[in-house]
Amino acid sequence: MLAFVLLAVVIGGAFAGAAYLIIEATEYQLIELRLAHSAARFFEHDPPQSANPFAGVTAAVGTQIPGELGGLAPGHHELHLPGRDVHVLIGYHAGERYAIIEDTSDFERLEQLAFVGLWVAFLSGVLLALAMARAVVNRVIAPLTSLASAVQRDDLREQPQLLNAADEIGVLARAFDARASQLREVLLRERLFTADVSHELRTPLTVMLGAAELLSARLAAQAELRAAAERIRRTAAETSVRVSALLQLARSPETIESTLLSLRDLVKQEIERCRPLLDGKPVSLNLESSGNVCVHSAHDLAAIAVGNLLRNACTFTQRGAVRVVLEPTGLVIEDTGPGVPPEVRDRLLARFVRGRAEPATGSGHGLSIVKRVAEHLGWAVRLEDGPQGGSRFTLIFVSEAPRRTRAMSAISDRA
């Protein structure tokens, strides 16, 4: 609406300015030039004739000049006298002062009417533009706003006036609805697949866990074999926990049960699980914390995020240190490994992307899972260069980023 009004103001102002210039040019041609011509005609005779060379034009010389014109300088003047408007040309001829006077009251009234007409036309144009703007808003902008609101609320299917529209709004609405349907199907298949795989893995993991516990009990006298059996049991138990966490990832974030979680205990537990990765390496792994930090979160999901970052740091650090710092606002994990090449830094948290150029174990899923878990919990992940050349990952416990994962989960829930 503002654009319409501004356009009307600019165009109307341009036409009004042109009309004003035309009126002023007309006034100059009709009055000022005629006064000058009258003065020339007046002095053609000797002595000068006081007869009017043009109707409505009078001449006065010397003392004949009215007193109200006595103080005027030579040149053209426009005066508004009581009861009339006049144009006066003051000059000197043969050393004597003269005045050529024309009563322009009728012309001034016409000029005022012309200016009033210009203002009326200008304001009418602005009002007409405003009316047209409202019509355009009701015809185009309002349906677009309704379409945007329907897409944001994900209730486009409940708006038949948008889906059945024959104009471009209908085309957009149907395209958005088709795309949303595809997203619903993809998300539903993903959740069903995750749930099915997790469910199917539970049974063999339970068997493995039971067998490992039995084997560990029978090998109590053989320390070396018992340690191997205990590692199998611990790995099976951890895998079972991870499967349960994957099931939680398949659910909407709003439905996940959160508890007041002690992060220092969780981080210590994950550090102990990762220490075997540093066997034989001159690498230290330490936790720095000025106190405990508690957040409302799901234990299994938080363990996945912390554990994957720790395993990533321990795997690629060959010497130096892995430093873990627990702060009230986040968890910092620094390493002295090879770092992350600049060409993959922006997409490192995507699937199947590894940060190191040399062959390495892993499929590139670990950091993408960390990102997905963080978004599910309302956290954020930040990657920076480490102070000693490695990598510095920060888990921020309160994310200010848009909760895109929750929005996509809501779409799947509707499906």
Side-chain angles (χ1 to χ4, degrees):
M1 292 177 67
L2 181 61
F4 268 83
V5 173
L6 287 177
L7 181 62
V9 169
V10 171
I11 295 178
F15 275 98
Y20 175 79
L21 293 177
I22 292 173
I23 292 175
E24 291 298 319
T26 302
E27 182 178 9
Y28 174 77
Q29 292 291 334
L30 290 179
I31 298 176
E32 296 185 11
L33 290 182
R34 186 162 66 168
L35 290 177
H37 187 58
S38 297
R41 292 280 300 274
F42 179 70
F43 292 105
E44 284 180 356
H45 304 279
D46 190 19
Q49 296 180 353
S50 60
N52 297 343
F54 295 101
V57 179
T58 60
V61 179
T63 58
Q64 299 175 356
I65 299 176
E68 60 266 22
L69 306 181
L72 297 178
H76 290 89
H77 302 275
E78 181 178 357
L79 302 177
H80 300 286
L81 302 177
R84 63 178 183 151
D85 297 308
V86 296
H87 278 69
V88 181
L89 174 62
I90 301 295
Y92 288 89
H93 181 76
E96 194 168 14
R97 181 184 174 90
Y98 69 88
I100 307 297
I101 307 165
E102 180 176 6
D103 190 332
T104 57
S105 299
D106 294 338
F107 182 84
E108 293 297 332
R109 283 192 291 270
L110 290 175
E111 188 178 37
Q112 291 176 2
L113 290 175
F115 285 138
V116 170
L118 283 176
W119 274 107
V120 170
F122 177 77
L123 294 177
S124 299
V126 173
L127 293 176
L128 178 61
L130 184 60
M132 293 178 61
R134 290 186 62 86
V136 170
V137 166
N138 293 330
R139 180 68 178 84
V140 178
I141 306 302
L144 277 176
T145 304
S146 299
L147 176 60
S149 299
V151 172
Q152 290 177 346
R153 297 191 306 266
D154 192 33
D155 61 355
L156 190 55
R157 290 187 174 182
E158 301 173 9
Q159 307 289 335
Q161 74 278 9
L162 296 176
L163 290 174
N164 299 330
D167 54 10
E168 290 82 358
I169 301 298
V171 175
L172 281 173
R174 290 186 288 272
F176 280 127
D177 183 63
R179 185 60 175 171
S181 297
Q182 293 176 358
L183 289 175
R184 292 187 189 97
E185 294 177 1
V186 170
L187 289 172
L188 182 59
R189 287 198 300 268
E190 179 184 356
R191 288 192 171 183
L192 290 176
F193 174 77
T194 303
D196 292 343
V197 170
S198 301
H199 180 270
E200 293 300 321
L201 286 176
R202 280 185 170 182
T203 300
L205 283 173
T206 302
V207 174
M208 292 172 57
L209 185 59
E213 290 177 349
L214 179 60
L215 185 61
S216 178
R218 292 186 176 182
L219 295 175
Q222 304 181 40
E224 183 177 351
L225 295 178
R226 187 177 183 278
E230 181 62 23
R231 181 175 298 180
I232 294 174
R233 186 202 64 78
R234 186 170 59 251
T235 302
E238 293 174 359
T239 305
S240 180
V241 173
R242 297 298 185 262
V243 168
S244 298
L246 289 177
L247 279 174
Q248 294 189 55
L249 277 179
R251 298 164 53 190
S252 174
E254 291 81 2
T255 62
I256 296 178
E257 296 182 1
S258 298
T259 59
L260 189 59
L261 181 63
S262 171
L263 287 179
R264 184 169 61 180
D265 295 340
L266 184 145
V267 172
K268 286 182 177 180
Q269 181 181 1
E270 294 301 321
I271 286 177
E272 294 305 317
R273 290 178 178 176
C274 291
R275 287 197 185 278
L277 297 175
L278 300 178
D279 289 346
K281 295 182 182 180
V283 178
S284 62
L285 175 59
N286 300 308
L287 170 63
E288 301 177 14
S289 174
S290 57
N292 193 17
V293 176
C294 296
V295 296
H296 284 277
S297 176
H299 179 278
D300 295 343
L301 292 180
I304 286 181
V306 175
N308 274 282
L309 289 179
L310 280 172
R311 280 193 294 274
N312 184 75
C314 294
T315 299
F316 293 102
T317 302
Q318 302 303 320
R319 60 179 55 85
V322 175
R323 180 169 172 259
V324 183
V325 181
L326 181 60
E327 301 173 343
T329 58
L331 177 69
V332 179
I333 299 177
E334 296 178 353
D335 62 60
T336 55
V340 179
E343 60 271 14
V344 299
R345 181 171 300 170
D346 293 339
R347 53 190 180 91
L348 182 63
L349 298 179
R351 291 187 177 186
F352 308 112
V353 176
R354 288 193 292 264
R356 281 78 181 178
E358 69 270 10
T361 60
S363 60
H365 274 82
L367 293 179
S368 67
I369 292 178
V370 172
K371 179 183 178 183
R372 182 175 176 183
V373 169
E375 290 178 346
H376 227 63
L377 296 175
W379 297 357
V381 187
R382 185 172 63 210
L383 168 62
E384 301 170 310
D385 290 331
Q388 300 182 15
S391 301
R392 175 189 174 104
F393 285 92
T394 304
L395 269 177
I396 305 172
F397 300 141
V398 180
S399 172
E400 297 179 357
R403 300 297 300 275
R404 180 172 53 188
T405 302
R406 295 198 173 191
M408 300 302 289
S409 300
I411 292 177
S412 181
D413 289 342
R414 290 181 180 271

